[in-house]
Amino acid sequence: CVVTDVDVTERDEEGLGATVRTAITRIAATEALLVALDFDGTLAREVDDPLDARPIPSAVSAIKRLVASPLTTVALVSGRGIANLASVSEAPDAVLLVGSHGVEFHHDGQTGLVLDAHEQSKLETLRSALDRIANEYAGVRLEVKPVGFALHTRVATSEHATEAASRSRAEAVAA
């Protein structure tokens, strides 16, 4: 049973729309359930500094209830690195953490990440280029992740943000 992006705009007298009611019925009939949730912008509000993000209290409560449910696995999926996701998510140990857009994972005390020498070299080349770009524009900051980068431009001027983004795309293609 796969249910994604359920339309919650239509509602019946109980506050549930037909689409939501059908999704709940399908979910309730599964033998085992995987609930995969995005962190930033879903469980936590978007913030200027990613290290300031924290899950909203109702999300923490819901995750704890899901983790306690039989035959239910909860996963947090993020572009963040595993260590960063673990530190800000407040997720219970039983939650599967999937970071770096699927390249890293942490579950049952085991963490995994595999990059070959060629991938590591490309990653370092891109890091150097993006670091130079970030240092050239006020308000632009490079966030280094285990297998990627985020060039944060929210506090930069529109002109600097546009230029930095354009140059970073060109460097990514070249790498």
Side-chain angles (χ1 to χ4, degrees):
C1 172
V2 176
V3 179
T4 61
D5 299 326
V6 175
D7 179 9
V8 294
T9 56
E10 58 176 76
R11 298 176 189 256
D12 61 18
E13 63 279 355
E14 294 177 331
L16 298 175
T19 305
V20 173
R21 190 172 299 283
T22 300
I24 290 170
T25 301
R26 289 180 59 203
I27 290 169
T30 63
E31 290 183 35
L33 181 63
L34 167 64
V35 180
L37 305 162
D38 182 34
F39 184 73
D40 292 294
T42 303
L43 299 178
R45 290 180 175 81
E46 293 282 346
V47 294
D48 289 338
D49 183 349
L51 295 176
D52 291 338
R54 294 296 180 273
I56 58 175
S58 58
V60 173
S61 176
I63 289 170
K64 287 178 181 176
R65 287 193 312 274
L66 284 166
V67 166
S69 300
L71 299 173
T72 301
T73 300
V74 178
L76 297 186
V77 182
S78 180
R80 292 171 179 264
I82 286 294
N84 184 285
L85 180 60
S87 73
V88 299
S89 69
E90 302 174 17
D93 291 338
V95 172
L96 167 63
L97 300 178
V98 181
S100 300
H101 302 285
V103 179
E104 291 184 289
F105 69 90
H106 180 84
H107 194 246
D108 291 334
Q110 300 294 316
T111 300
L113 166 68
V114 178
L115 290 179
D116 64 28
H118 177 70
E119 292 167 327
Q120 290 175 356
S121 174
K122 285 183 135 334
L123 197 62
E124 189 52 43
T125 298
L126 184 57
R127 178 185 179 157
S128 295
L130 294 176
D131 203 30
R132 281 192 308 276
I133 293 168
N135 288 326
E136 290 178 24
Y137 298 98
V140 175
R141 183 176 59 82
L142 180 65
E143 178 186 0
V144 177
K145 300 180 180 191
V147 292
F149 310 95
L151 196 67
H152 294 282
T153 60
R154 286 189 194 124
V155 297
T157 65
S158 178
E159 180 182 338
H160 283 178
T162 300
E163 288 176 19
S166 177
R167 287 185 54 204
S168 67
R169 281 190 294 274
E171 290 290 345
V173 170

